[in-house]
Amino acid sequence: MHKIGSAAGMDFYIYYRVRPEHAAALQTRATAMQMTLRQTFGIRAGIKRRPVPVESGEPNMQTWMEVYLAVPPEASDDFAVALDRAVQQSDLALLIDGQRHVERFMDVSPCA
């Protein structure tokens, strides 16, 4: 298991579109996938869904986001590989409409 060396780390934000009829299955698969990644890398993870306003024009689509927090910088590449593998093994892509968009952010160090 990778250990978190400090509070600083790399955060991964992954968002994508989901049809409402796939939401329950996606949540089940993504939750199981995140549990494994949390245990392996010692990170925090969560799943979010943006509310879809009726006036959006797309009432049949939802935007979901996986969040992975405080991935140690030295393990971020290993984490990215493990995440890709976990997505493939869980068949998450079958429940997603379009592509998964992956964003990485780092903490900004405060000035001394």
Side-chain angles (χ1 to χ4, degrees):
M1 177 165 101
H2 297 271
K3 297 289 184 184
I4 297 175
S6 68
M10 183 79 65
D11 297 338
F12 286 66
Y13 298 90
I14 299 135
Y15 61 94
Y16 41 84
R17 307 288 295 229
V18 178
R19 295 188 182 282
E21 61 268 22
H22 296 149
L26 182 121
Q27 184 173 2
T28 299
R29 291 181 192 189
T31 299
M33 179 181 76
Q34 286 189 331
M35 185 184 318
T36 300
L37 291 167
R38 278 196 303 265
Q39 292 170 345
T40 302
F41 289 90
I43 60 169
R44 294 174 302 176
I47 301 171
K48 299 182 180 291
R49 181 178 62 87
R50 180 176 23 208
V52 180
V54 175
E55 64 272 7
S56 72
E58 294 190 51
N60 292 327
M61 295 299 288
Q62 300 174 354
T63 301
W64 283 60
M65 180 177 287
E66 297 166 34
V67 179
Y68 302 92
L69 303 174
V71 176
E74 66 277 5
S76 66
D77 290 339
D78 290 342
F79 177 78
V81 169
L83 177 60
D84 287 343
R85 188 177 310 122
V87 168
Q88 290 174 359
Q89 291 172 345
S90 69
D91 285 332
L92 215 58
L94 298 176
L95 303 172
I96 293 171
D97 191 71
Q99 293 190 344
R100 290 168 45 92
H101 304 277
V102 179
E103 303 286 342
R104 295 185 191 192
F105 288 82
M106 292 180 65
D107 292 336
V108 177
S109 299
C111 296

